[in-house]
Amino acid sequence: MTAAVATGERARLWSHPELGLHAFVDASGSVGLGTSDQDWAALVPLVEVTATGHGRLWSGERFIETAIGDRLAYRGHETAKDAHRERTTIRLADPVTELAADVVLETVAGAAFLRARVRLVNEGGAPLRLESVTTLTLGGITDADGGPEGLTLHWADNDWLAECRWRKAAFREQVVPLSRSAHGHEGRGCFERSSQGSWSTGRHLPVGALTDRDGGAWLWQIESSAGWRFETGEREGAAYVALFGPDDAHHQWHHTLAPGEEFHTVSAALVRVEEGGLDAAFGRLTDHRRALRRDHPDHRALPVIYNDYMNTLMGDPTTEKLMPLIEAAGAAGAEVFVIDAGWYDDDAQGWWDAVGAWEPARGRFPGGIKEVLDAVRAHGMTPGLWLEPEVVGVRSPLARALPPEAFFRRGGIRVTEHGRHHLDLRHPAARAHLDAVVDRLAGAWGVGYLKLDYNINIGPGTENGAESPGAGLLGHHRAHLDWMAAVLDRHPGLVLENCGSGGLRMDYAQLAVAQLQSTSDQQDLLRYPPIAAAAATAVTPEQAAVWAYPQPHHTLDEIAFTLAGALLGRIHLSGFLDRMNPDQFALVRSALDVYKDIRPEIAEAHPFWPLGLPGWDDAWIAQGLRGRESTFVTVWRRGPADGASRELTIAHLRGAQLQPSVLHPAAFDGTARWNAAEGKLTVSLPRPDTAVVLRLR
């Protein structure tokens, strides 16, 4: 037990110097999280809970100011340290319901990020039906003038083919002043974003930020595949943020805690920087993401991946079609070759609603699929396969062979969505089925890469007995993550790619286990740049799989353009490379050679955006990576508008004497000029729909 430090009428329980953040307890036992110079009234109770029969003290759209949160009182705290982390647990209890809350705040020495989660225990004698629980609350966020007027709110919309679309608005445009002094209350509303159903990022990223005019930023991330929500609003003249997993109002989640039972919330992370704005904050969040995820050699090796799907075979692989692609991909320098959807399809009615057994299609591979996998290895590449493990097609024999309890059900009826049923991986038969599939593919077949896709939104979840759908979804996803981890325990060299129709399940519950994330299914090479450039806001660069699909009918400019977008992330190469002329093929190979040269730095670099986060229709887009030895910048020019040159600010290199070098394309006919005194890089791209990748060191 560590002692509290008294500060007037408050006692300081815990501090994070890099964040400038403190947990305080007042004379009544209420605990709040905030900065040292903030009024106590602006803080939010450290844990906010709604339960049936115990709602909010001020009714509205906000899920703070709850009756239980107001009553939760301090009863102790403790800190444990190891060589890498410090973990503080603050213990609270509600005297009415006898609900105990243990708030775990985890930090890394010298790092400006915090990870939080909450454990609830029913210590009373009666069941308690939970309806919402915060993972983390923070109050007292202000600008330099001590109010919220100078704050800017940032969030990201997400959709199929249109991922990572960042937007911003003045805080006061979303949370207007309401003359609290005239009414005696705050407003009933807030700014909120949330998920819907089983695509965790089908609507928005679980990431948001508040920035001030002086370069300060608060940035947060919720780590949940099964429902999340954040809200921000005004409390006592300052902004607050509350981070949630699933709740009843938005996700049909409620959870009954019987006496003695416990519930663990999803985790969330918080970053604060005092200067550097979003670029600096996303750099710190990148550090957290790297510290959070399961260690795997893929994060350091970053092999080049060829996948036969996008704009190429599109789910129609055969031995005849694959063999020339395998030879060409190996000659170009690919190191993994993935056979995507369709390899199991021997059904005249189509494979979409018949999947589930994951056996190779004899009609597609007359000599057996092993012949193709052996050819991949013979050309120096690791073979990979596409899999959609959580679904079973309605026409699949598995839909009848597995017990009803192995599938998602609501109201006692098996859920069907887009011709598929959904497995509940808490059921031993569902898990045994998938274990047998993966052990066959990764074991007997020697497959070293699995692309795990997820192409349906199954809705709020499944009802297993008396549980709510949202609780069923959370239970399934926790079992799914446990299954993935167990697969990697049995096959430690196997690489798992996380895909959800592109980037529709792009969260760090998944990405703490999976090695890569598909960023999009976008097939238009001119629409991909804003997704590729902003992908590092959602995922570390070395996990961000970006499609590059050069084609023999493309011009050299188009080939260079599509390749450029993947060079600062993970290359997902596709296209009919076997049909290219020598100049086209040489351009592809040269891009892969560049990537192999710079990839050791990508694995440790921090992202930044010299032109700011991209807009969907921006003519000029720029993405940078700041490494230990080099700074890399990709610049795209789309369309004829806005002239042939653009000035980029690269503040961290101001004063450095350097000469920009062109990495890609080799036949670059534009210019890149550096102004050391101002930290300005001026790039000219004389033709529209072209791109360049530069190194500055």
Side-chain angles (χ1 to χ4, degrees), residues 5 8-9 146 167 176 188 231 301 309 466 493 518 585 604 673:
V5 178
E9 296 181 358
R167 303 180 64 188
V176 298
R188 298 184 187 274
E231 69 174 71
Y309 187 84
S518 176
F585 192 82
E604 298 181 342
R673 300 188 305 275

Side-chain angles (χ1 to χ4, degrees), residues 328-452:
E335 295 156 306
V336 177
F337 189 100
V338 179
I339 303 170
D340 206 280
W343 59 269
Y344 38 77
D345 176 25
D346 243 345
D347 194 311
Q349 298 181 57
W351 57 263
W352 180 264
D353 58 358
V355 296
W358 308 113
E359 295 286 354
R362 295 180 181 178
R364 293 182 174 276
F365 309 107
I369 198 169
K370 186 176 182 296
E371 177 187 11
V372 179
L373 300 178
D374 286 345
V376 172
R377 283 185 281 265
H379 284 87
M381 296 177 289
T382 298
L385 288 174
W386 181 95
L387 201 65
E388 195 168 355
E390 292 165 81
V391 302
V392 170
V394 296
R395 294 193 300 109
S396 170
L398 268 296
R400 297 175 292 279
L402 292 174
E405 296 81 10
F407 295 94
F408 273 35
R409 295 171 297 158
R410 293 197 289 272
I413 301 170
R414 188 182 298 187
V415 179
T416 303
E417 177 72 9
H418 199 178
R420 274 101 176 271
H421 302 307
H422 197 293
L423 291 172
D424 186 339
L425 284 180
R426 296 173 295 179
H427 195 281
R431 182 154 177 166
H433 157 62
L434 289 186
D435 282 343
V437 169
V438 171
D439 290 347
R440 169 166 46 89
L441 303 187
W445 295 11
V447 170
Y449 185 108
L450 290 177
K451 177 176 181 175
L452 304 182

Side-chain angles (χ1 to χ4, degrees), residues 423-493:
L423 291 172
D424 186 339
L425 284 180
R426 296 173 295 179
H427 195 281
R431 182 154 177 166
H433 157 62
L434 289 186
D435 282 343
V437 169
V438 171
D439 290 347
R440 169 166 46 89
L441 303 187
W445 295 11
V447 170
Y449 185 108
L450 290 177
K451 177 176 181 175
L452 304 182
D453 210 342
Y454 188 70
N455 287 304
I456 60 171
N457 187 334
I458 202 61
T462 180
E463 298 166 341
N464 185 9
E467 75 179 354
S468 66
L473 183 62
L474 180 60
H476 160 74
H477 274 307
R478 286 175 165 169
H480 176 228
L481 297 174
D482 182 73
W483 171 75
M484 290 171 62
V487 164
L488 292 171
D489 288 341
R490 296 196 306 277
H491 306 283

Side-chain angles (χ1 to χ4, degrees), residues 511-563:
L511 287 166
V513 184
Q515 284 66 65
L516 288 92
Q517 171 66 50
S518 176
T519 56
S520 188
D521 282 351
Q522 176 58 250
Q523 296 181 70
D524 184 340
L525 62 87
L526 295 179
R527 283 296 187 189
Y528 216 130
I531 302 171
T537 64
V539 56
T540 65
E542 65 273 19
Q543 289 179 280
V546 176
W547 289 100
Y549 27 62
Q551 299 291 0
H553 64 270
H554 284 170
T555 66
L556 292 179
D557 275 352
E558 288 172 323
I559 291 174
F561 189 94
T562 189
L563 289 165

Side-chain angles (χ1 to χ4, degrees), residues 62 148 171-172 175-178 186 232-240:
R62 294 146 59 116
F171 181 80
R172 279 304 191 202
V175 182
V176 298
L178 297 175
E186 304 288 1
T232 180
E234 184 174 6
R235 180 180 169 90
E236 295 286 351
Y240 75 89

Side-chain angles (χ1 to χ4, degrees), residues 304-351:
V304 174
I305 300 154
Y306 182 95
N307 183 299
D308 69 24
Y309 187 84
M310 193 60 69
N311 293 349
T312 309
L313 299 187
M314 298 295 290
D316 189 27
T318 65
T319 300
E320 181 181 9
K321 293 176 181 178
L322 285 167
M323 287 303 193
L325 291 177
I326 292 168
E327 181 178 0
E335 295 156 306
V336 177
F337 189 100
V338 179
I339 303 170
D340 206 280
W343 59 269
Y344 38 77
D345 176 25
D346 243 345
D347 194 311
Q349 298 181 57
W351 57 263

Side-chain angles (χ1 to χ4, degrees), residues 293 296-306 335-336 449 495-497 514-519 528 532 535 539-548 562-573 592 595 599 602-603 623 625:
R293 68 195 180 193
H296 196 284
D298 182 79
H299 297 146
R300 295 173 289 278
L302 278 60
V304 174
I305 300 154
Y306 182 95
E335 295 156 306
V336 177
Y449 185 108
V495 174
L496 300 181
E497 176 191 339
Q515 284 66 65
L516 288 92
Q517 171 66 50
S518 176
T519 56
Y528 216 130
V539 56
T540 65
E542 65 273 19
Q543 289 179 280
V546 176
W547 289 100
T562 189
L563 289 165
L567 293 184
L568 298 187
R570 291 298 297 274
I571 298 179
H572 257 34
L573 184 66
L592 300 194
Y595 183 77
R599 64 186 171 187
I602 293 173
Q623 173 206 8
L625 286 183

